Amino acid sequence: MPDAQLAFVDRCVVIDHGSRPPRARVLALVTNSGWRPEQSSDNEDDKRYGFLAWTENLGFKSHSSAAEWVDRTVGAIKQWPDHKGSLSEHPIAIADSSRELIDVHPALSRSEYLAAIDSAKELIRLGESYEVCLTNRFSVRMPRHAAVLTAQRMRALYLAMRRRNPAPYGALLWYDDLQAGVASCSPERFLRVTPDKTNTVSGDRRVEMRPIKGTCRRDPLADSAEDRRRAESLRSDAKERAENLMIVDLIRHDLGWIARGGTVAVPGLMEIESFATVHQMVSTVCAQLPSDGVGDVGALAHCFPPGSMTGAPKRRTTQIIDTLEGPRGVYSGCLGYFSA
C-alpha cells in the first residue's frame, strides 16, 4: 500500500449510534456544473497546475440523480434487520474467518528484536533519543482457499477482530483499485480539530490530542477487586508515568508551534480509562488554533506521526525506528476524515 491514501467521499451514510433508536443520515454531493476552479481560486498554484480541476468529476451531475440514490439507499436501510445490541455480537461469517489466520510470522525474530532493544538503549544513552517506541510487526499467511483478498473477507476479518477487541475507534477501509484494505480497532484518538465554542467571534479552532501511553490487561471479571487493583497499579507505575509524561511534553511542543500563544493546556494528565480488554493511561492536550494560522490539514501534517507510537524527539526517533524496524507503512499510522 502507498504511504498515504486519500478519498473524496461524495456520498455517505452516517449512523448516529448515540440516539435511541439509532438514526441514519444519507448525504449526497451534487456538482455545480457552472463552477470553474480558475474562476474561484486566487491561488496561483491552483491555476498553474489545475489542482482543483479534478473536483469537476466528483459527485452527482444533477439533483434528480442524487435524490434517486438517496431514496434507493434509504429504502435499503429500512430493510435492515432490527438488531438488538452491538453488531459485533451477531456472528456474520466471522467464525471461519477468525480461524483462517495461520502461520504468524514476526518481522523481527526474538534475537533480532532483543538486539534492536539493546541498540535503542545505547542510542538513548548517547543522547540520540529520550524514548524509542520500538515495536514488532506480525504478518500472517492465509490458507490457499482464502488467499484472494476481497471486500467481503476484509469485513469478516474486521468483525472477528472487533468481537475480540472492542474499541471506540474501530474502522474498516477497502480500496478496490488497490485490492487492499485496512482494519483497525484502536482506543486512541490522535487529533481532532473543532470550532472553538468559547470564542466564536475570533474564528479560532480547538485542537485536541489524546495520547495513550501505558497499558495493562483487564481481569476477566470486569470491575472485580483484581481488576481495580490492576488499574491502580498502572496509575502508579513509575515507568508508564514517565513514558506518558514524555509524550505529553512532545505533543505540547508540537502544538506550541502552531497554536495561539499561551493556549496550550493539559486538562487531563495520566488518567486511567478502561476498555473491554485493557486499562490504559490517557492524557489530553489541547490548544487554540488562530483563524489566520495553519489550517486543519496543516495541523495534521505538523503533528504527524503520532508521538505515542514513535517517541521523543520525534524526527530523530523516527529515523532510529526506521533503521531498527524498517518502514512501518500503514502499520501504526492513523486514519480519519475531514468534514465541511
Side-chain angles (χ1 to χ4, degrees):
M1 292 190 69
D3 288 340
Q5 179 80 355
L6 303 178
F8 190 100
V9 179
D10 58 9
R11 66 201 73 185
C12 64
V13 177
V14 180
I15 300 175
D16 181 5
H17 294 282
S19 63
R20 290 292 180 270
R23 299 175 62 89
R25 292 172 172 81
V26 183
L27 309 175
L29 172 70
V30 179
T31 302
N32 184 350
S33 59
W35 179 83
R36 291 292 182 273
E38 292 77 14
Q39 297 174 358
S40 63
S41 175
D42 294 327
N43 188 296
E44 290 301 320
D45 285 342
D46 290 348
K47 297 176 182 178
R48 185 178 302 114
Y49 302 115
F51 182 72
L52 298 177
W54 60 274
T55 59
E56 291 185 299
N57 298 318
L58 296 172
F60 294 91
K61 302 307 178 186
S62 67
H63 288 276
S64 60
S65 60
E68 180 182 345
W69 179 83
V70 169
D71 290 342
R72 189 168 63 251
T73 304
V74 169
I77 292 173
K78 289 181 177 179
Q79 300 302 314
W80 288 356
D82 184 18
H83 287 308
K84 297 185 183 302
S86 168
L87 177 62
S88 60
E89 297 171 1
H90 298 271
I92 306 176
I94 60 178
D96 291 337
S97 298
S98 63
R99 298 186 179 94
E100 290 176 347
L101 302 180
I102 62 174
D103 294 342
V104 179
H105 298 285
L108 301 175
S109 67
R110 176 179 174 81
S111 60
E112 290 172 332
Y113 189 55
L114 292 176
I117 292 174
D118 289 338
S119 297
K121 288 181 175 179
E122 177 63 14
L123 289 167
I124 291 173
R125 189 186 69 80
L126 294 174
E128 294 289 326
S129 177
Y130 301 110
E131 176 183 5
V132 180
C133 299
L134 198 64
T135 70
N136 199 1
R137 185 171 61 254
F138 289 80
S139 61
V140 297
R141 183 176 63 83
M142 301 289 287
R144 184 172 300 177
H145 74 274
V148 178
L149 193 62
T150 64
Q152 291 75 19
R153 190 167 296 282
M154 278 295 301
R155 178 175 181 270
L157 290 172
Y158 167 68
L159 289 176
M161 182 172 68
R162 192 172 76 171
R163 183 182 63 173
R164 285 175 167 78
N165 184 38
Y169 300 107
L172 172 64
L173 301 178
W174 174 256
Y175 295 101
D176 199 55
D177 55 335
L178 298 173
Q179 287 295 290
V182 177
S184 173
C185 284
S186 172
E188 181 172 354
R189 186 177 65 223
F190 169 46
L191 180 145
R192 180 173 67 175
V193 179
T194 55
D196 183 6
K197 297 180 180 180
T198 64
N199 191 353
T200 57
V201 177
S202 69
D204 282 3
R205 292 148 296 146
R206 185 179 189 271
V207 57
E208 180 184 272
M209 302 178 69
R210 305 191 75 237
I212 292 176
K213 210 66 186 159
T215 303
C216 73
R217 186 187 298 272
R218 296 197 67 174
D219 184 69
L221 298 177
D223 203 34
S224 64
E226 171 61 18
D227 191 54
R228 293 191 294 271
R229 185 199 66 77
R230 293 183 185 187
E232 190 56 40
S233 176
L234 175 63
R235 188 193 312 275
S236 59
D237 189 288
K239 168 190 170 292
E240 304 289 8
R241 293 179 66 86
E243 287 192 13
N244 193 290
L245 183 60
M246 280 190 278
I247 298 305
V248 168
D249 282 343
L250 170 68
I251 290 175
R252 290 174 63 245
H253 179 267
D254 281 347
L255 292 180
W257 283 94
I258 59 176
R260 186 177 294 282
T263 65
V264 178
V266 184
L269 182 64
M270 304 182 197
E271 298 175 328
I272 302 301
E273 295 187 3
S274 300
F275 301 94
T277 58
V278 293
H279 297 297
Q280 303 211 276
M281 187 180 291
V282 186
S283 291
T284 302
V285 187
C286 62
Q288 284 179 266
L289 298 179
S291 57
D292 58 350
V294 66
D296 297 352
V297 177
L300 174 64
H302 182 83
C303 295
F304 189 85
S308 60
M309 284 299 297
T310 58
K314 189 185 293 183
R315 181 180 292 274
R316 178 64 183 120
T317 304
T318 52
Q319 294 171 346
I320 292 171
I321 290 173
D322 194 62
T323 300
L324 297 178
E325 291 186 27
R328 285 181 174 178
V330 69
Y331 163 69
S332 84
C334 66
L335 56 86
Y337 64 89
F338 296 95
S339 178

